Amino acid sequence: DMSTLKVGTIQDHTNSITAMSIDSTGRVTTPARPSFKAYMSSDQSAPSASTFTTIQFNAENHDIGGNFNTSNYTFTTPVAGVYYFYTSYSYVAGASGTGGAIISMRAGGAAIAAVDWLVENTAGRWGACCSTVISLSAGVGVTSLAYGPARNIFGGDYGQTQFCGYLIG
């Protein structure tokens, strides 16, 4: 014998916050799941040569749970679990500066993902992205860093330079 449980909303036991909703067509949403997308509101000055520089993500598209800090550019894991993170950055077009560039992410100060590429001294826009899935404890700070030649980093909510992530479970 099979049993059927019909439910439209699942809430936590203490504060009655909706953890899961199921609509009439079976679509499931998890409105309290930690998630964020941060970006820079304007171009950022060039990173110091041969130094990893935290990208100054000072604006947000969304921040479910309020776990991204636009003052220190850090996402702090609210609970232990498996997380997905993505970051990208793009150098401003028309600027000079040639050399190796790296985009990376760190969790608790340790590298968790990185991609490197060569930026040429041309007027084109150069950029890269990287992503990772990682298991983290609660309270770990995750940041996105740039390393490269003396070129400003492109800002604005266009997707070229962004940092985002969410709790998988």
Side-chain angles (χ1 to χ4, degrees), residues 104-115:
S104 72
M105 290 181 281
R106 292 185 183 166
I112 59 172
V115 170

Side-chain angles (χ1 to χ4, degrees), residues 1-77:
D1 266 328
M2 297 275 280
S3 297
T4 300
L5 173 65
K6 294 185 179 189
V7 63
T9 303
I10 297 175
Q11 297 181 340
D12 78 288
H13 67 285
T14 304
N15 300 312
S16 299
I17 295 173
T18 298
M20 182 183 295
S21 294
I22 305 168
D23 73 9
S24 62
T25 63
R27 292 178 292 222
V28 177
T29 59
T30 54
R33 181 185 309 263
S35 174
F36 76 100
K37 177 192 173 192
Y39 62 96
M40 298 182 321
S41 59
S42 61
D43 294 352
Q44 178 179 330
S45 297
S48 301
S50 303
T51 302
F52 280 96
T53 303
T54 300
I55 301 176
Q56 298 170 5
F57 293 107
N58 63 347
E60 296 171 318
N61 173 274
H62 75 277
D63 186 1
I64 298 171
N67 302 298
F68 187 83
N69 184 319
T70 56
S71 297
N72 67 12
Y73 325 116
T74 301
F75 174 81
T76 302
T77 56

Side-chain angles (χ1 to χ4, degrees), residues 47-53 89 91 100-104 117 145-149:
S48 301
S50 303
T51 302
F52 280 96
T53 303
Y89 81 96
Y91 284 112
I102 300 171
I103 185 169
S104 72
W117 74 101
L145 298 96
Y147 174 102

Side-chain angles (χ1 to χ4, degrees), residues 106-129:
R106 292 185 183 166
I112 59 172
V115 170
D116 61 340
W117 74 101
L118 176 64
V119 175
E120 296 182 18
N121 194 5
T122 65
R125 180 172 285 136
W126 299 86
C129 61

